[in-house]
Amino acid sequence: MNVQFKKGALELCVLVFTLKKDRYGYELVHSISDKIQIAEGTVYPLLRRLTNEGYFATYLAESKEGPPRKYYQLTKAGREYLEQLVQEWQQFSASVNEIIEEGMD
């Protein structure tokens, strides 16, 4: 898949995956990787930036399988940002699909 397509969608995917439950970094990487091939190192800088921008709160929780894990919890600002991104994505993808359909006929 085109790298630029992935870059544009990765932020949206990270936010969507944390909407219903808090997640830790590796869990996010694994969940996204099930659908889109990504490198593990691409998610952590994104998580750091989104946290710095106030879209995530973080906390540590004990793990049965090793050291404590850092969980990412979507904040109110994060939910609002996600809603905005989803609207923008839907408009954008509908427009691109329309262009493709018109061009491929």
Side-chain angles (χ1 to χ4, degrees), residues 4-5 16-18 31 35 42 49 51-52 54 70 76-77 84 86 89 93 97 99 104:
Q4 294 303 317
F5 291 167
V16 167
F17 271 116
T18 57
S31 297
K35 308 284 184 191
T42 59
R49 180 177 61 79
T51 300
N52 289 341
K70 185 177 189 178
K76 183 175 186 260
Q84 175 191 337
V86 167
W89 177 264
S93 61
N97 286 336
I99 291 167
M104 299 299 283

Side-chain angles (χ1 to χ4, degrees), residues 6-25:
K6 289 184 210 180
K7 279 186 179 180
L10 188 57
E11 183 171 329
L12 179 59
C13 293
V14 165
L15 291 165
V16 167
F17 271 116
T18 57
L19 180 63
K20 293 185 180 171
K21 76 174 206 171
D22 302 350
R23 300 203 185 235
Y24 58 95

Side-chain angles (χ1 to χ4, degrees), residues 24-26 44 59-72:
Y24 58 95
Y26 182 76
Y44 291 101
Y59 61 91
L60 291 176
E62 292 297 322
S63 169
K64 296 174 188 170
E65 301 160 4
R69 293 179 173 157
K70 185 177 189 178
Y71 280 82
Y72 294 84

